[in-house]
Amino acid sequence: METRVAVISILVENPESATELNDLLHRNGRYIIGRMGIPYEKKGVNIICIAVDAPQDVINSLTGTLGKLDGVSAKATYSKKS
């Protein structure tokens, strides 16, 4: 199956969603190239950036599921190369 390289940007404003968020990322760990997390206490938000190499439907599904968590926003940006 063809895969795409993408970056999923995640903003976490509800720390209670962290366990479920980490669970989702763990279940999709085989697609994750790297992860960076930055706690921004001044604004009460955690910023997470996930680099992935996965089928487009997996990226879309993961991004959508993350965005449905309480206090979590997620967006994917795709590489122009397949």
Side-chain angles (χ1 to χ4, degrees):
M1 180 175 279
E2 187 175 326
T3 62
R4 302 272 314 264
V5 173
V7 177
I8 302 174
S9 302
I10 306 165
L11 297 174
V12 183
E13 298 178 86
N14 179 1
E16 292 179 13
S17 294
T19 301
E20 197 171 353
L21 182 147
N22 284 318
D23 244 11
L24 283 166
L25 296 179
H26 179 74
R27 283 183 282 182
N28 289 277
R30 65 183 172 270
Y31 302 115
I32 296 175
I33 301 167
R35 172 181 175 169
M36 177 181 64
I38 304 168
Y40 189 41
E41 294 176 14
K42 180 179 176 182
K43 296 288 184 173
V45 66
N46 291 297
I47 304 157
I48 302 170
C49 182
I50 309 291
V52 297
D53 183 4
Q56 187 163 349
D57 61 332
V58 171
I59 298 168
N60 290 340
S61 176
L62 177 58
T63 304
T65 304
L66 288 167
K68 290 179 185 175
L69 297 176
D70 183 45
V72 176
S73 301
K75 297 280 184 186
T77 304
Y78 293 88
S79 168
K80 293 184 180 184
K81 295 182 179 182
S82 297

